[in-house]
Amino acid sequence: MMESLSPVLDLRSIGLLGELRSVPETRYLTKQVMALPGLLTEKPAFVGSRGIAYYEQKPCHELLMTAKYYTEYISQLECTDKLCTAPSKYILADHSLAKLLRIVDSLLSSPQTVNEDIVLFIDGIKECAKVVSSTLMGTAFTFSPSSIHDLKLPSSAEHKVPRPFIEGDNHLLTLAAAQIDKCPNSSVVGIMLGGSAAAAVTAAAWDSELNLVKVSRYDDASRKSNHLWGSNIPLGQTVTIIDDNCGTGDTLRQAIDLVMAQTGQRPKARAVELHWEKLLRSRVYGHADRVFNPETLDVLTPWCFRHHQVLDRLINQPFADDKYVHTTTADWVAYSYSLLSVLHDTLTDSTWAAKLLRFLLNLKAQTPLNYEQPIDAFKALAYQCPECSARKKQFGKKEVN
């Protein structure tokens, strides 16, 4: 059911928001990256990969300029005997991905936006997502900044300030969910804005094309559109819709209707996180509440819904308060497992729960038992870097000769 997900990456080194954490005295980042303003979060207990620059509320033209600078720097980084640059590349790509997605979200809110402009931005998004996915999975990749360097904004959009938060940007949760019912070489359709990062990273992991839609009953619903943005989806191509979360299933149904109207075929629909708590309240506690039906969803994933109010508090607090730094992705594995266990034991029609519990057990088994050792995500990325591994093999062969 599941491949090994980033074999050496400890889930305790990933915050619930998705930021990677390293020891304060990390030696696995370039000096130039560490000096970039706001790129990192520096705490007494750790250094995090998402500083205030990740969430900064700046106009589109400034965000694009920064993304161009970051991605140009990625292309210049090369691993050496003394320093692996994989962690630095990852952080720059992660920040750039978020900025480009936020810009596109702003563009899609304008009636003047044309698809040709969005296609170019999607190409840049795919390049950044490829770095993110490949680095976390420990696979080789090539990167070209040209698709980002050549991007241009309509004059009407240059000074617009996009929404700052992409809720579905915990890439480890995304990549774990992407192991379930994989659809390689398909077309992935992301629901803006929350599901856009998840769709981009999943598309990169599946080596698939990426399209975007802007529909929602809740998030920015007044600016939804009936367009399927991106390159044309070939007739007969498998299509997968991805959102960051699903509570009632209404948004996914809207997206299904839109894709069917545009392509004439019924896509699969899935979300990285499901509102299992709401299902528990409805089916076990007996609360009157509308909730998705696990028997009818195309794909089920084990992650509990990280409520937007929780994420907002985590985003707004950590730069000023050390209190909000403890919850990690490993904690969310345990939380999701506990809640699914209750559903499994209390519902008679819960055969699906056993499969999801086995999936989470596999993830829990990847967490080292030694809780005293320093947790260093940057060191882990360097350890599994394919570029460094290839260099070591080549060096070894030369020595033998």
Side-chain angles (χ1 to χ4, degrees):
M1 185 178 184
M2 177 181 173
E3 297 175 357
S4 181
L5 179 64
S6 190
V8 299
L9 196 58
D10 190 328
L11 296 180
R12 293 172 296 156
S13 67
I14 306 157
L16 186 58
L17 289 170
E19 78 281 7
L20 302 191
R21 297 175 177 180
S22 181
V23 294
E25 65 278 8
T26 181
R27 297 178 289 106
Y28 292 93
L29 297 178
T30 68
K31 292 181 180 179
Q32 293 88 338
V33 163
M34 295 193 71
L36 287 172
L39 192 75
L40 305 174
T41 302
E42 297 186 27
K43 292 286 185 180
F46 66 85
V47 172
S49 64
R50 293 177 179 172
I52 57 175
Y54 187 86
Y55 302 104
E56 60 189 351
Q57 298 191 47
K58 290 188 175 181
C60 287
H61 74 94
E62 290 190 36
L63 295 179
L64 182 57
M65 182 174 62
T66 302
K68 289 182 177 182
Y69 177 76
Y70 286 174
T71 51
E72 183 62 36
Y73 187 33
I74 291 173
S75 67
Q76 298 171 9
L77 289 172
E78 293 183 359
C79 297
T80 67
D81 291 336
K82 294 183 178 180
L83 181 65
C84 172
T85 58
S88 296
K89 290 178 182 178
Y90 173 87
I91 294 171
L92 294 169
D94 184 34
H95 279 249
S96 300
L97 175 63
K99 294 181 191 312
L100 293 178
L101 288 170
R102 290 169 56 199
I103 291 170
V104 168
D105 183 60
S106 182
L107 291 176
L108 296 189
S109 299
S110 171
Q112 288 79 36
T113 298
V114 295
N115 189 56
E116 288 74 13
D117 292 335
I118 300 302
V119 168
L120 297 176
F121 272 90
I122 288 177
D123 288 341
I125 287 166
K126 287 162 57 180
E127 280 296 307
C128 295
K130 180 171 59 176
V131 178
V132 168
S133 173
S134 299
T135 305
L136 291 177
M137 297 296 289
T139 57
F141 64 89
T142 58
F143 178 78
S144 172
S146 60
S147 59
I148 296 123
H149 184 268
D150 296 337
L151 290 175
K152 295 180 180 179
L153 288 167
S155 57
S156 59
E158 289 184 348
H159 298 287
K160 288 186 176 180
V161 179
R163 292 185 291 164
F165 306 145
I166 304 173
E167 294 171 357
D169 56 354
N170 184 317
H171 304 315
L172 259 294
L173 294 184
T174 293
L175 287 171
Q179 300 292 322
I180 300 172
D181 196 18
K182 292 189 289 187
C183 295
N185 303 310
S186 60
S187 289
V188 173
V189 178
I191 298 178
M192 299 293 291
L193 174 62
S196 58
V201 172
T202 300
W206 288 354
D207 193 22
S208 297
E209 289 302 317
L210 177 66
N211 293 78
L212 298 170
V213 294
K214 190 173 177 64
V215 298
S216 179
R217 283 190 67 245
Y218 315 98
D219 181 27
D220 206 25
S222 63
R223 298 186 178 183
K224 66 181 181 180
S225 73
N226 293 318
H227 293 287
L228 178 59
W229 302 93
S231 300
N232 290 332
I233 296 177
L235 185 65
Q237 174 83 298
T238 302
V239 181
T240 299
I241 296 172
I242 296 181
D243 204 359
D244 58 326
N245 67 77
C246 172
T248 63
D250 288 348
T251 299
L252 286 177
R253 282 189 286 271
Q254 284 188 42
I256 289 171
D257 291 343
L258 190 157
V259 171
M260 288 184 66
Q262 297 286 336
T263 67
Q265 53 190 335
R266 206 282 190 186
K268 279 190 174 182
R270 58 195 288 159
V272 175
E273 304 162 25
L274 297 176
H275 209 325
W276 295 114
E277 296 95 334
K278 183 182 281 191
L279 189 74
L280 180 69
R281 292 198 304 265
S282 175
R283 290 201 180 180
V284 179
Y285 300 164
H287 291 185
D289 207 349
R290 293 181 61 248
V291 65
F292 69 93
N293 184 349
E295 284 79 26
T296 59
L297 276 185
D298 294 327
V299 180
L300 295 178
T301 55
W303 302 120
C304 287
F305 172 39
R306 296 174 306 141
H307 198 281
H308 66 87
Q309 291 185 4
V310 172
L311 301 183
D312 286 349
R313 287 175 181 267
L314 289 173
I315 289 168
N316 291 322
Q317 293 289 347
F319 305 115
D321 189 346
D322 286 340
K323 174 183 176 183
Y324 296 88
V325 298
H326 296 292
T327 311
T328 68
T329 297
D331 296 320
W332 210 246
V333 173
Y335 177 68
S336 299
Y337 185 89
S338 298
L339 204 143
L340 282 169
S341 294
V342 175
L343 288 170
H344 175 269
D345 293 347
T346 55
L347 296 180
T348 57
D349 54 346
S350 60
T351 54
W352 41 266
K355 296 179 181 179
L356 297 177
L357 288 171
R358 286 196 296 271
F359 183 93
L360 290 175
L361 273 177
N362 195 338
L363 275 179
K364 290 174 72 174
Q366 290 183 217
T367 301
L369 296 178
N370 181 5
Y371 280 76
E372 300 300 322
Q373 66 180 5
I375 302 172
D376 192 337
F378 302 159
K379 180 180 179 180
L381 294 184
Y383 181 84
Q384 68 178 20
C385 172
E387 183 180 345
C388 288
S389 297
R391 288 181 66 259
K392 290 175 183 176
K393 289 180 181 179
Q394 185 179 22
F395 180 76
K397 288 180 180 178
K398 287 182 178 179
E399 278 199 326
V400 172
N401 293 334

